[in-house]
Amino acid sequence: GENVEQHPSTLSVQEGDSAVIKCTYSDSASNYFPWYKQELGKRPQLIIDIRSNVGEKKDQRIAVTLNKTAKHFSLHITETQPEDSAVYFCAASIGGNNDMRFGAGTRLTVKP
Amino acid sequence: GAGVSQSPSNKVTEKGKDVELRCDPISGHTALYWYRQSLGQGLEFLIYFQGNSAPDKSGLPSDRFSAERTGGSVSTLTIQRTQQEDSAVYLCASSNSGGAYIQYFGAGTRLSVL
């Protein structure tokens, strides 16, 4: 079955620096790759997603890149702010349908 | 409704008792998912429904866990003979099967087994 690996498990950066989180997946049929942010005590919420027909997508300070050949995708956050502190989850669709698997999460801490 | 609704929000039970957790997806969403999240951990996949059928139930950890969905809407996750290791937050999500795949999560049910 699909296996989604996420690194690092924890990441601490200084305010204003960039943060990068990387994920790999195993199912070559995966075609949808979302990223979710979960603040402490809250539900996960989608922050950005990318489909397999594009290599990069950007939304203000966040961007996601996808390398289908290598089966990896990354989340980039620039000019980090303390409110970016949360757990971030990557995910990959399975078999081209709605089934999905999540990575184990990255706890990002942005120090003021 | 406006979002995914889960009930109860908190459940405390004694070891060995059965519990039922309920999920009301966003109206019109045909796909529904259950996840388990232990304290400080990731999202452990349990089961995925497409309509009333479950094409993927590979994540259910044991035969004490079961789930059903009726009328293509509400789903119930049942845990029989609860154990202390079942303590976690159980999250439900729904998505539109039209290819959008975006999952919208409920607030979860925090289950504590004493």
Side-chain angles (χ1 to χ4, degrees), chain B residues 62-112:
Chain B
S62 76
D63 58 8
R64 296 188 296 106
F65 288 72
S66 63
E68 64 175 17
R69 190 180 185 198
T70 55
S73 182
V74 172
S75 175
T76 303
L77 176 69
T78 301
I79 309 174
Q80 295 179 310
R81 305 180 303 281
T82 52
Q83 303 294 312
Q84 288 184 332
E85 60 263 29
D86 298 335
S87 296
V89 175
Y90 289 81
L91 288 163
C92 174
S94 71
S95 73
N96 189 324
S97 65
Y101 298 164
I102 299 172
Q103 294 189 20
Y104 297 88
F105 283 82
T109 293
R110 182 176 299 278
L111 175 66
S112 300

Side-chain angles (χ1 to χ4, degrees), chain B residues 2-37:
Chain B
V4 178
S5 178
Q6 290 188 246
S7 60
S9 55
N10 283 282
K11 177 72 178 178
V12 181
T13 190
E14 293 179 350
K15 178 181 171 182
K17 301 282 189 183
D18 297 352
V19 295
E20 282 190 354
L21 312 181
R22 177 186 167 106
C23 174
D24 257 297
I26 291 172
S27 178
H29 280 193
T30 58
L32 186 147
Y33 313 80
W34 283 99
Y35 298 91
R36 179 168 70 176
Q37 188 171 35

Side-chain angles (χ1 to χ4, degrees), chain A residues 13 15 37 44 56 65 73 98 101 108:
Chain A
V13 300
E15 182 177 359
K37 176 182 180 182
E56 184 173 358
T65 59
F73 56 114
N98 285 59
R101 288 296 180 274
L108 173 65

Side-chain angles (χ1 to χ4, degrees), chain A residues 33-93:
Chain A
F33 308 91
W35 287 88
Y36 285 79
K37 176 182 180 182
Q38 186 177 30
E39 296 177 352
L40 189 62
K42 303 217 174 151
R43 72 191 77 185
Q45 292 197 305
L46 180 77
I47 55 170
I48 195 168
D49 57 10
I50 192 168
R51 298 185 188 276
S52 57
N53 56 346
V54 298
E56 184 173 358
K57 183 176 179 181
K58 190 172 181 179
D59 182 4
Q60 298 182 351
R61 294 187 297 108
I62 59 174
V64 58
T65 59
L66 171 65
N67 183 328
K68 283 214 71 177
T69 303
K71 295 196 185 70
H72 66 70
F73 56 114
S74 301
L75 177 72
H76 305 252
I77 306 174
T78 59
E79 301 170 30
T80 53
Q81 301 167 2
E83 51 265 39
D84 294 330
S85 296
V87 178
Y88 292 81
F89 293 98
C90 64
S93 64

